[in-house]
Amino acid sequence: MFYRGRRLRENKTSRALMREHHLRLDQLIYPIFVVSGENIKEEISSLEGVYRYSVDRLREIIEEMQYYGINACILFGIPEHKDVLASDAYDDQGIIQQAVRQIKQIAPDMFVIGDVCMCEYTDHGHCGILNEAGQVLNDETLAYLAKISVSYAKNGMDMVAPSAMMDGQILAIREALDEHGFKHIPIMGYSAKYASNYYGPFREAANSAPSFGNRAGYQMDAANSKEAMREIAADIEEGADIIMVKPALAFLDIVKEAQLTYDMPICAYNVSGEYAMLKSAVKLGLMKEEVIEESLLAIKRAGADMIITYFALELAKKWKGEPHV
């Protein structure tokens, strides 16, 4: 007697009954880029179908998301003013603070996550405070990340997500939030964030490429997996409520290892380069568009509970707002 797996694959219904993992709209988080100015909706050349919005144009994307069943977003800001201290990032009149207030007026139930970093707001493009030699100062940067997080919380953010990869950032933010009366605000740590070439389109989208050097000194080496488990363990110990692996597709082994090792909610960031590659392949006719869902299913299968993806709205329109089961 040999195994007859085909018995359960004979038709669509039996395959659906046996399906182990599902993509659902309520587990997708859509990135939104907010830019200074008025009446702006401009497509990002490296991310087909993804746009930058000025605060006054956010209504159309938020209402579109709601209509199709996407109820969570993560915000990235492109400010008009940049300086060495990233002052726009923690200004209560900063671009993201204005954006979250506007979104909450439009859709009070939209779950809004604020990316906490400094690279989009510094004139040098690095994720922290620099010394005279151009090195990022870890401990000095922590206070600024905490200020950004408190400002976000004051202005209505539902969750903060520090992506700067500074040692101790989760603890610094948790203490600051608690001290200012925001014990209820959760933190999603970019716990295993790799120094990756898959970020290329994002840096163009957010105008956040470093003006010199790179971020390898504080983001993780793509060759390392044990280090990722140490980084995740540190974030959990410091008080992270959710852990994240970024990028997703090229690091599915890290997602799986995290799922097997830690009893924590796991987010995976399906990053800009992954999006751009699949969009290009489909556009060129090299692959069918079903490869998009297949790729996101791989992320779920590896162990992610939620996925940040530029495909969220596209899939929502395809599924017409219904959970994909």
Side-chain angles (χ1 to χ4, degrees):
M1 182 76 76
F2 54 84
Y3 173 63
R4 291 191 180 274
R6 288 183 55 188
R7 287 174 178 155
L8 300 175
R9 299 196 292 265
E10 283 294 322
N11 58 63
K12 182 178 180 180
T13 300
S14 65
R15 289 194 298 273
L17 287 170
M18 293 299 297
R19 191 158 293 136
E20 299 173 23
H21 301 279
H22 302 84
L23 292 175
R24 296 181 59 91
L25 295 183
D26 55 13
Q27 295 174 328
L28 301 182
I29 301 165
Y30 190 55
I32 298 178
F33 295 92
V34 189
V35 64
S36 296
E38 295 182 354
N39 196 30
I40 297 171
K41 179 185 177 182
E42 56 185 12
E43 188 172 28
I44 299 164
S45 61
S46 58
L47 293 171
E48 180 184 350
V50 181
Y51 297 82
R52 300 184 189 92
Y53 297 88
S54 55
V55 171
D56 61 317
R57 293 288 296 270
L58 283 172
R59 177 175 293 276
E60 56 195 276
I61 181 61
I62 295 301
E63 290 184 345
E64 187 177 27
M65 288 169 62
Q66 282 194 305
Y67 179 81
Y68 286 106
I70 299 293
N71 297 307
C73 61
I74 183 167
L75 302 183
F76 299 95
I78 303 99
E80 184 176 7
H81 170 73
K82 299 188 178 193
D83 57 38
V84 294
L85 298 179
S87 58
D88 195 86
Y90 45 86
D91 186 337
D92 285 343
Q93 296 306 314
I95 187 66
I96 291 300
Q97 289 82 350
Q98 293 181 51
V100 68
R101 293 196 300 266
Q102 177 76 348
I103 291 170
K104 287 300 182 179
Q105 287 183 6
I106 299 164
D109 293 333
M110 179 65 66
F111 192 82
V112 187
I113 305 166
D115 175 80
V116 178
C117 197
M118 298 174 70
C119 60
E120 297 143 69
Y121 306 92
T122 55
D123 52 13
H124 48 73
H126 279 282
C127 300
I129 303 299
L130 303 183
N131 63 13
E132 293 180 357
Q135 298 170 314
V136 176
L137 299 172
N138 188 95
D139 294 8
E140 288 80 353
T141 298
L142 296 180
Y144 288 89
L145 299 177
K147 286 174 65 174
I148 297 168
S149 299
V150 170
S151 179
Y152 283 3
K154 283 170 56 180
N155 285 279
M157 203 70 76
D158 295 297
M159 178 186 287
V160 295
S163 61
M165 284 300 284
M166 296 296 116
D167 298 336
Q169 63 183 11
I170 299 294
L171 180 60
I173 291 170
R174 183 74 273 158
E175 289 179 343
L177 288 173
D178 292 357
E179 181 182 341
H180 287 83
F182 298 111
K183 292 183 178 180
H184 63 289
I185 298 294
I187 301 173
M188 177 163 63
Y190 280 67
S191 305
K193 180 180 178 182
Y194 285 85
S196 173
N197 290 295
Y198 284 99
Y199 303 150
F202 174 92
R203 290 174 180 172
E204 187 265 329
N207 190 23
S208 63
S211 60
F212 65 90
N214 56 51
R215 297 177 181 138
Y218 42 100
Q219 295 178 1
M220 287 181 52
D221 191 312
N224 295 351
S225 57
K226 293 179 180 178
E227 181 186 10
M229 297 305 108
R230 295 196 296 270
E231 291 282 355
I232 292 170
D235 276 8
I236 294 171
E237 184 176 351
E238 291 175 22
D241 299 283
I242 300 172
I243 56 177
M244 185 203 294
V245 176
K246 180 184 180 185
L249 289 176
F251 296 88
L252 293 178
D253 59 317
I254 306 303
V255 178
K256 173 57 69 176
E257 187 66 24
Q259 189 264 338
L260 293 173
T261 305
Y262 303 107
D263 184 18
M264 291 286 292
I266 299 173
C267 180
Y269 198 143
N270 180 217
V271 298
S272 60
E274 296 167 345
Y275 173 88
M277 287 193 305
L278 291 179
K279 289 289 283 188
S280 296
V282 171
K283 187 174 183 179
L284 291 171
L286 301 175
M287 289 187 260
K288 295 181 179 179
E289 66 176 9
E290 285 77 13
V291 73
I292 295 168
E293 293 181 43
E294 182 180 336
S295 297
L296 295 181
L297 269 173
I299 299 170
K300 287 286 293 180
R301 194 177 65 246
D305 298 293
M306 64 204 81
I307 304 172
I308 300 172
T309 178
Y310 303 93
F311 287 117
L313 188 54
E314 178 179 330
L315 291 177
K317 291 178 180 180
K318 180 179 178 181
W319 301 340
K320 297 181 180 178
E322 296 297 325
H324 189 54
V325 296

